[in-house]
Amino acid sequence: MGNLREFTLAEMRDGLRAKKFSAVELATAHVDAIEKTNAQYNAFITITRDKALEMAKASDAKLANGQGGLIEGVPVGVKDLFCTKDVLTTAASHILDGFKPQYESTITTKCWDQGGVMLGKLNLDEFAMGSGNLTSYYGTVKSPWQKDGKALVPGGSSGGSAAAVAANLAPVALGTDTGGSIRQPAAFCGIVGIKPTYGRCSRWGVVAFASSLDQAGPLTRTVRDSAIMLNVMCGHDAKDSTSAPVETPDFEKALTGNIKGKKIGIPKEYRPDGINPEILAMWDKGIKLLKDAGAEIIDITLPHTKYALATYYIVAPAECSSNLARYDGVKYGLRVMGEDGSLTSMYEKTRAAGFGAEVKRRIMIGTYVLSAGYYDAYYKKAQRVRWLIADDFNKAFEKVDAILTPTAPSAAFGFDYKPTNPVEMYLNDVFTVPTSLAGLPGISIPGAINKDGLPLGLQIIGKAFDEATVLNVAYALETAIGFNAKPQGVAA
């Protein structure tokens, strides 16, 4: 039967239905491995062994009667940004110490309704703000990939989710993507990560960072597994005013692998001067493989791409400063009283102690750009540029069915990387942010291995609510690439 943890989600689903192994065996194998290796990876903040085994027993009972949901008995890791009833939910921040919600997020509810088995809550950059999983109050996450025996970052903010899937600690992990926080860690860890169209998945019960950008999505080992998870996660939610009332197609059935006649756009703006030659070589190989599969390659232009990063780092901090105003020590989480016992002092002390440096930086930037006298100069102008970026994509999609780009400008970097300023770290999102600003679906798949033996990612971007095409192009490319490299650091 082999190592159960090496199976893909689809293989686990099919094996459970065929009774080749039980949900309890599957859950036990994963929880045992998590408890054994979490000190090594620090991927999990909370491990829910008892809940996992209880849910697995219930799944086995359903499967024995020929019943069960789409992922009945399959283990699932949850980024600790999703509220989970009676289970510690932290957003990787000190300010949410001890917070156990009395409700379940819509996305996790959908997963449990379809038979998913909860393994625990996964580490992340604090409040999803970061590109390396370096800002968590609970410590950094280490990727199972290594360079010269040295640990690397897994990417961020969904670094714990990506590391867990790459290390065979979970076949699927829930993540969120605001400016690339699913796709970039997927690229760094050699796995698949998809950000659906904004509004495709409910945000209800997800701790907010930037409300007009945040979107939930899965991290998996294969494109098929991501398609299965979108079938579980998508759908209109009346509790979320940004949830789109659109039909959810069967994404797994869309995986035909036939892309003959599909028009694939190649944006010239994603070839900046000084681009890493290994990234360029991977991209060119991906273009050739799509062409060999019968796709038509078309050069396109997205002229406002150069303004995307600056636009994002005005819009996102502005929304963050508004969303994080609710953490004040009054209702839940950390409370630090001042010496004078006043309410104002408690606010100041709680927020000073509870938020990390990167969160404070973004709150300050966001508050500044929203302040009187600067709103028009910064935030209002950024929103106008955001519209221009979205319009670039609209015009491109009049000519093409999907767009192919790199996912990130480099492979994963080490913990010894010391940027001279925060902007250097923000550049990790240069290829993913435009898609987020436009609210479009994007997927990252493993594209190649570089000279250091580390994975590089390719990104496919699609039209709004056309995840089916995005997945099918990704499936065809995944098949053609045949990526099968494994991290060196994975424990048995």
Side-chain angles (χ1 to χ4, degrees), residues 237-433:
D237 180 11
K239 292 183 289 188
D240 175 9
S241 62
T242 65
S243 176
V246 295
E247 185 181 348
T248 302
D250 189 330
F251 294 114
E252 189 177 8
K253 283 187 178 178
L255 304 181
T256 65
N258 181 4
I259 58 169
K260 289 182 180 178
K262 290 292 183 183
K263 295 179 173 65
I264 308 297
I266 308 298
K268 65 179 184 180
E269 289 79 11
Y270 284 58
R271 293 179 184 266
D273 293 339
I275 187 172
N276 184 321
E278 290 185 305
I279 297 289
L280 196 59
M282 170 197 63
W283 191 12
D284 287 338
K285 181 183 176 184
I287 292 168
K288 182 182 182 301
L289 290 173
L290 289 176
K291 191 173 182 179
D292 290 345
E296 181 182 351
I297 305 301
I298 298 176
D299 291 329
I300 62 171
T301 181
L302 300 169
H304 294 93
T305 293
K306 60 185 175 182
Y307 305 116
L309 209 60
T311 299
Y312 176 84
Y313 280 102
I314 292 173
V315 173
E319 296 185 12
C320 137
S321 74
S322 176
N323 278 322
L324 270 61
R326 72 192 69 176
Y327 302 104
D328 53 16
V330 175
K331 297 174 285 294
Y332 44 73
L334 182 70
R335 177 181 294 178
V336 181
M337 298 301 299
E339 293 179 4
D340 63 3
S342 70
L343 191 63
T344 300
S345 176
M346 184 191 76
Y347 286 163
E348 292 174 350
K349 293 287 186 180
T350 299
R351 291 169 70 81
F355 290 135
E358 181 61 27
V359 173
K360 290 176 183 175
R361 180 184 295 116
R362 298 199 194 192
I363 290 173
M364 291 296 290
I365 292 170
T367 303
Y368 177 80
V369 301
L370 290 175
S371 61
Y374 297 102
Y375 179 90
D376 287 347
Y378 292 102
Y379 184 72
K380 194 171 181 179
K381 185 175 289 185
Q383 290 288 23
R384 287 172 174 168
V385 176
R386 180 180 186 178
W387 184 91
L388 293 172
I389 291 166
D391 193 51
D392 285 348
F393 280 106
N394 290 337
K395 290 174 180 176
F397 282 122
E398 291 175 2
K399 304 174 184 177
V400 301
D401 300 298
I403 296 170
L404 180 72
T405 77
T407 306
S410 70
F413 48 88
F415 289 92
D416 55 355
Y417 170 66
K418 302 293 182 185
T420 56
N421 60 69
V423 176
E424 281 188 35
M425 187 66 79
Y426 299 163
L427 289 171
N428 283 288
D429 303 328
V430 67
F431 294 143
T432 54
V433 155

Side-chain angles (χ1 to χ4, degrees), residues 188-207:
F188 277 14
C189 289
I191 60 172
V192 176
I194 183 168
K195 180 198 87 71
T197 308
Y198 181 80
R200 174 67 92 173
C201 293
S202 173
R203 294 188 304 109
W204 194 85
V206 180
V207 177

Side-chain angles (χ1 to χ4, degrees), residues 428-488:
N428 283 288
D429 303 328
V430 67
F431 294 143
T432 54
V433 155
T435 314
S436 295
L437 288 169
L440 299 174
I443 190 171
S444 178
I445 65 169
I449 290 288
N450 73 1
K451 60 180 172 54
D452 295 318
L454 301 178
L456 305 173
L458 279 169
Q459 177 180 217
I460 297 103
I461 304 164
K463 301 173 186 177
F465 300 105
D466 192 16
E467 287 84 359
T469 295
V470 170
L471 287 161
N472 193 40
V473 172
Y475 181 66
L477 192 52
E478 175 187 61
T479 303
I481 292 169
F483 186 92
N484 57 11
K486 302 293 181 186
Q488 309 93 318

